[in-house]
């Protein structure tokens, strides 16, 4: 079982910021911004290349609610989905980084 599946199953304890039937949202262990959470689909897929319409529909409409919950609605935020080696993905369970709380630099390194 991958590390995020262990968190989702409760084998590794976490303090969810938000959760519903399809999603678990947790704080990143190494935050890169004042607000940095990981949106985890409860169903394991390796990365965004494997997403289907059903999962996309369960995830994307929730993002605005999670951003609002975290107080990011007014100033904005960034979503990052690292994918594969060149994308810098280190955990092979699809996760969407949601970052905010300061002005973020662009472009990515
Ligand atoms: P990636 O580089 O795959 O896009 O991002 C993986 C993210 O997961 C990293 O930002 C890393 O800090 C975070 N992470 C790795 N292991 C854990 C963990 O056990 N708990 C939490 N909360 N975050 C983790
Ligand atoms: Zn997993």
């Amino acid at each position: 079982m991958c590390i995020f599946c262990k968190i989702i199953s409760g084998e590794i304890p976490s303090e969810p910021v938000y959760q519903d039937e399809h999603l678990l949202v947790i704080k990143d262990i190494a935050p890169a911004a004042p607000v940095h959470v990981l949106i985890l689909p409860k169903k394991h897929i390796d990365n965004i290349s494997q997403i289907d319409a059903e999962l996309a529909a369960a995830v994307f409409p929730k993002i605005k609610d999670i951003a609002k919950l975290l107080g990011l609605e007014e100033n904005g935020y960034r979503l990052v989905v690292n994918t594969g080696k060149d994308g810098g993905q280190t955990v092979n369970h699809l996760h969407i980084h949601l970052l905010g709380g300061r002005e973020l630099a662009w472009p990515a390194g």
Side-chain angles (χ1 to χ4, degrees), residues 2 4-5 44 92-93:
C2 89
F4 288 169
C5 281
H44 179 105
N92 289 324
H93 179 127

Side-chain angles (χ1 to χ4, degrees), residues 9-52:
S9 73
E11 186 180 333
I12 297 176
S14 69
E15 290 175 32
V17 170
Y18 170 88
Q19 74 169 309
D20 63 27
E21 188 188 344
H22 299 288
L23 299 180
L24 182 71
V25 181
I26 57 170
K27 290 183 180 173
D28 196 291
I29 203 170
V35 178
H36 184 178
V37 299
L38 302 171
I39 300 171
L40 311 177
K42 288 186 173 174
K43 177 184 149 190
H44 179 105
I45 61 170
D46 287 348
N47 59 47
I48 196 84
S49 298
Q50 297 174 357
I51 201 165
D52 59 18

